[in-house]
DNA sequence: TAGTGGTCTAGACCACCCT
DNA sequence: GGGTGGTCTAGACCACTAA
């Protein structure tokens, strides 16, 4: 663990423990630098981390301050890439499950090949799953993975976590993902599997996940019942803000 | 403009111009430092900016590379902090306008007061606007601002940019925003103003904008015609990723 | 093993806030 | 004007990639 990340962790722990209360000012960077026996630049990098995690904010000429919901945030660990979070009414007393409707291998269509940056002769897995909460279906999920990137995918794995398999077994690093969200009318499949009425809208999410180097890893299209799923986003000010 | 941002802009221009082609490797940081007559750390900061903007990626020990869709991205200007971007078919040959349906002041409801962290006796502006593209309405927008934060708001300002007014005139710094997105059936207002049919779903976006210090600045609820608006998200791996 | 990016330092100067 | 954060430097060492 590098120094500035370690220092960020330490400060976060202290915030979590209430040593630096909500809305209070942190010691100035010079003081922190001495305290952690390091240089000011390193402290700055640590504070930047906490700042972009939404735990503190800084005002030039004034100081760095603990945000009012920081304690809650510091605990929540905001698993990143999940600042886009999908919430159903998940809780302790709810039962989440999934049913694999289809698992097969085929060649991609022209559009799919383009999106996943494949040749037409490179096969993909095609997976269709129904997400169920307390016996009520809420999402219909359609997913493609290039076979070359995720070899030996089995139905076994599908029932656990595909992502854990990809990260821990295949040791691939995730990069960015792009999503498009729209409202649409229910398709025939939606009516069949999600039990939508003719005028029940669905929330459609189209997503491409990329690896760290930009290689497309996954294409998915998910239809959610509008009365069971909504999406939450937290947007922090980007580092490029104000550049243009 | 500080140096590292300026350098980032320069490099972005060169990428846009095709001087650094897609997938090519940039000169190493030492070389760039000499070229821009600066230190390596400053170059690093510039490259970090481009990297978090999704224009390049770097591999330790190997180099910095131009992403394959970088040219497109560099042009789209993806106004940052808007890595959540709303796209209608905005282009050169389209006419965007807005109509103010309502502009008034009142006391907030209990829920609203809680969301905006106000007391019941602190007034808010209530604004209703219809967004129009080429004579076709596409979004119905309902917004609340605390009067105390945005004094002297006039209908004049509404027709220009509220945000510009807030940033440049009032000198307030924006912080994070939180959004909830869902699909829903059209309300009576939607049918009236957005000309929705009974079974036309709408894309509903509920948002709270905060200032840098966490003070809630704005609450809004927008209904979009599903056939004219979709939302795009780009999720980059956060800087805190892997810290825990 | 050579090349390259990531981190870290110690100190400098500037921009900004606050009183 | 004193305190504080933001940027920048020049150089060092380490971690990783690629041949």
């Amino acid at each position: 663990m590098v120094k500035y990340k370690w220092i960020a962790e330490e400060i976060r722990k202290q915030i979590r423990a209430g040593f630096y209360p909500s809305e209070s000012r942190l010691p100035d960077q010079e003081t922190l630098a001495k305290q952690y026996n390091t240089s000011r630049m390193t402290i700055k990098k640590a504070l930047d981390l906490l700042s972009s995690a939404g735990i503190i904010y800084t005002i030039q000429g004034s100081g760095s301050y603990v945000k009012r919901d920081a304690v809650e945030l510091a605990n929540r660990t905001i698993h990143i890439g999940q600042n886009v979070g999908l919430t159903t009414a998940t809780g302790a007393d709810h039962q989440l499950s999934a049913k694999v409707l289809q698992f097969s291998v085929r060649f991609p269509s022209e559009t799919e090949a383009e999106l996943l940056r494949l040749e037409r002769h490179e096969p993909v897995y095609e997976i269709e799953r129904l997400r169920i909460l307390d016996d009520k279906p809420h999402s219909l999920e359609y997913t493609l993975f290039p076979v070359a990137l995720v070899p030996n995918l089995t139905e076994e794995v599908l029932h656990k976590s595909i992502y854990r398999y990809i990260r821990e077994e295949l040791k691939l690093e995730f990069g960015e993902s792009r999503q498009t969200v729209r409202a649409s009318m229910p398709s025939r499949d939606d009516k069949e599997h999600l039990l939508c009425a003719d005028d029940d809208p669905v929330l459609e999410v189209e997503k491409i996940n990329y690896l760290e180097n930009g290689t497309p890893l996954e294409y998915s299209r998910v239809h959610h019942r509008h009365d069971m799923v909504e999406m939450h986003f937290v947007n922090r000010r980007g580092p490029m803000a104000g550049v243009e």
Side-chain angles (χ1 to χ4, degrees), chain A:
Chain A
M1 169 85 72
V2 294
K3 205 163 182 174
Y4 74 93
K5 285 183 183 174
W6 180 81
I7 293 173
E9 279 302 317
E10 288 302 306
I11 295 176
R12 171 152 77 165
K13 279 178 202 159
Q14 290 183 299
I15 289 172
R16 179 157 31 186
F19 181 73
Y20 297 128
S22 205
E23 294 287 276
S24 68
R25 202 179 75 184
L26 296 179
D28 68 278
Q29 298 180 354
E30 198 65 59
T31 305
L32 286 171
K34 273 178 195 150
Q35 185 176 320
Y36 286 101
N37 193 31
T38 186
S39 69
R40 227 189 96 206
M41 282 239 52
T42 301
I43 293 296
K44 175 68 167 45
K45 284 185 83 171
L47 295 182
D48 280 348
L49 225 50
L50 295 170
S51 172
S52 72
I55 296 171
I56 67 171
Y57 62 96
T58 66
I59 299 176
Q60 181 171 151
S62 172
S64 298
Y65 301 85
V66 179
K67 273 215 190 165
R68 57 167 15 272
D69 343 297
V71 178
E72 177 201 342
L73 264 176
N75 280 317
R76 245 200 294 155
T77 304
I78 291 201
H79 258 294
I80 315 274
Q82 301 182 357
N83 41 2
V84 174
L86 233 171
T87 42
T88 49
T90 320
D93 49 345
H94 288 284
Q95 197 57 47
L96 221 64
S97 66
K99 185 176 162 191
V100 178
L101 301 178
Q102 198 198 121
F103 175 48
S104 56
V105 179
R106 60 171 175 79
F107 292 114
S109 72
E110 190 156 351
T111 318
E112 291 163 354
E114 184 153 347
L115 289 172
L116 290 171
R117 244 175 266 149
L118 296 174
E119 300 296 327
R120 290 294 298 276
H121 60 80
E122 297 176 286
V124 294
Y125 296 109
E126 180 180 31
I127 303 158
E128 217 177 327
R129 278 176 298 185
L130 187 64
R131 301 282 183 182
I132 300 165
L133 177 74
D134 293 338
D135 302 325
K136 282 180 290 193
H138 62 87
S139 304
L140 184 59
E141 197 179 308
Y142 179 83
T143 314
L144 299 180
F145 288 99
V147 171
L149 287 177
V150 194
N152 307 318
L153 194 57
T154 62
E155 207 155 331
E156 173 77 33
V157 172
L158 291 190
H159 283 284
K160 300 177 185 172
S161 169
I162 295 186
Y163 292 125
R164 180 189 302 264
Y165 174 69
I166 289 173
R167 183 199 306 260
E168 293 175 12
E169 301 296 317
L170 304 178
K171 307 226 183 266
L172 297 177
E173 278 284 353
F174 294 102
E176 71 180 31
S177 71
R178 295 172 192 224
Q179 305 185 50
T180 301
V181 181
R182 42 181 104 75
S184 63
M185 319 258 244
S187 68
R188 197 177 328 141
D189 279 353
D190 297 335
K191 291 179 201 165
E192 180 183 343
H193 296 293
L194 294 176
L195 313 173
C196 289
D198 282 345
D199 62 346
D200 269 342
V202 295
L203 185 66
E204 179 175 315
V205 181
E206 206 173 354
K207 183 172 70 165
I208 302 180
N209 278 333
Y210 297 86
L211 294 176
E212 199 184 28
N213 65 0
T215 311
L217 168 71
E218 174 188 14
Y219 168 83
S220 71
R221 205 170 52 238
V222 187
H223 283 195
H224 301 283
R225 272 191 70 106
H226 80 284
D227 55 352
M228 295 182 70
V229 178
E230 56 188 29
M231 298 185 74
H232 295 278
F233 300 86
V234 179
N235 253 101
R236 318 207 182 288
R237 263 186 343 141
M240 205 91 174
V243 163
E244 185 147 12

